[in-house]
Amino acid sequence: FLIGCDVEDPLLEDVPEIVTKVVLQFDDGSGNVVVATANDPDGEGIADLVVDGEAVLQPNATYVLTISLFNELAEPSSPEYDVSSVVVQEGEEHLFYFGWTNNIFIDPPGDGNIDARPDQVNYTDADEESLPLGLTTRWTTGSSAAGILRIVLKHQPGLKSENSSSEEGETDVDVSFPIRIP
């Protein structure tokens, strides 16, 4: 007997993405954009992502948050440079989870879905299976507060589902941004 793989059979890729820069853009829709970044110049080396400071958001405002991911160890012309594009292309394998402290957001309510997937997050994008992705989300701030927004990107090939948790799969990104609402 001869057994072989059909050339068109896809291989299951379970390789975490290399992310050296995370950029958050909070856009309130009126031209005010708050940008926060985290950098890890050595990629998978000994250094972790380091946040460049707190993001100051206005009270009682609604923002669309866009997350951009980069691998600055790759050439800018390389497909590996824009990790956000890879996450979209492999959307059925990726999911962002969010957690926050001190009621910095009133919508979605609660403290995020890192600890419990059914907890509400306002995802505004989805993969080809109509499951949330998380490169874009919607947030409404409350009154004066200070807290942390934690963002975890999981690589979940064959695992992502309506019930998959932040404990499943490989972690591509786990970073906490200080948020202040004056």
Side-chain angles (χ1 to χ4, degrees):
F1 288 96
L2 292 175
I3 299 176
C5 294
D6 187 342
V7 175
E8 305 215 5
D9 285 347
L11 295 175
L12 183 62
E13 181 184 331
D14 194 14
V15 179
E17 314 314 328
I18 297 174
V19 177
T20 63
K21 185 173 189 175
V22 177
V23 179
L24 305 185
Q25 291 184 308
F26 291 91
D27 186 341
D28 70 0
S30 68
N32 297 318
V33 178
V34 175
V35 177
T37 60
N39 293 286
D40 179 4
D42 71 348
E44 293 182 337
I46 58 173
D48 290 328
L49 281 165
V50 176
V51 176
D52 70 354
E54 67 184 1
V56 179
L57 304 178
Q58 293 304 306
N60 305 308
T62 298
Y63 292 92
V64 171
L65 170 60
T66 302
I67 301 172
S68 300
L69 307 171
F70 300 97
N71 174 4
E72 294 181 322
L73 299 175
E75 292 295 321
S77 59
S78 166
E80 291 84 25
Y81 180 81
D82 183 359
V83 180
S84 303
S85 292
V86 174
V87 169
V88 169
Q89 291 169 2
E90 299 175 0
E92 69 285 348
E93 299 179 2
H94 289 90
L95 180 58
F96 282 92
Y97 294 86
F98 299 87
W100 57 93
T101 63
N102 297 336
N103 298 314
I104 54 177
F105 301 110
I106 60 170
D107 185 30
D111 64 357
N113 65 355
I114 290 175
D115 60 343
R117 170 74 184 274
D119 289 353
Q120 185 178 344
V121 171
N122 297 325
Y123 292 98
T124 59
D125 59 356
D127 64 19
E128 291 180 358
E129 303 295 322
S130 298
L131 293 173
L133 189 55
L135 283 167
T136 59
T137 48
R138 191 182 69 255
W139 306 85
T140 301
T141 58
S143 57
S144 210
I148 299 294
L149 172 61
R150 181 177 171 207
I151 299 171
V152 176
L153 172 61
K154 296 300 284 198
H155 191 146
Q156 300 176 322
L159 301 171
K160 183 179 176 183
S161 70
E162 291 180 9
N163 302 314
S164 56
S165 77
S166 65
E167 299 297 316
E168 298 174 74
E170 295 290 326
T171 301
D172 286 339
V173 172
D174 187 343
V175 62
S176 296
F177 288 88
I179 305 288
R180 184 169 55 89
I181 303 162

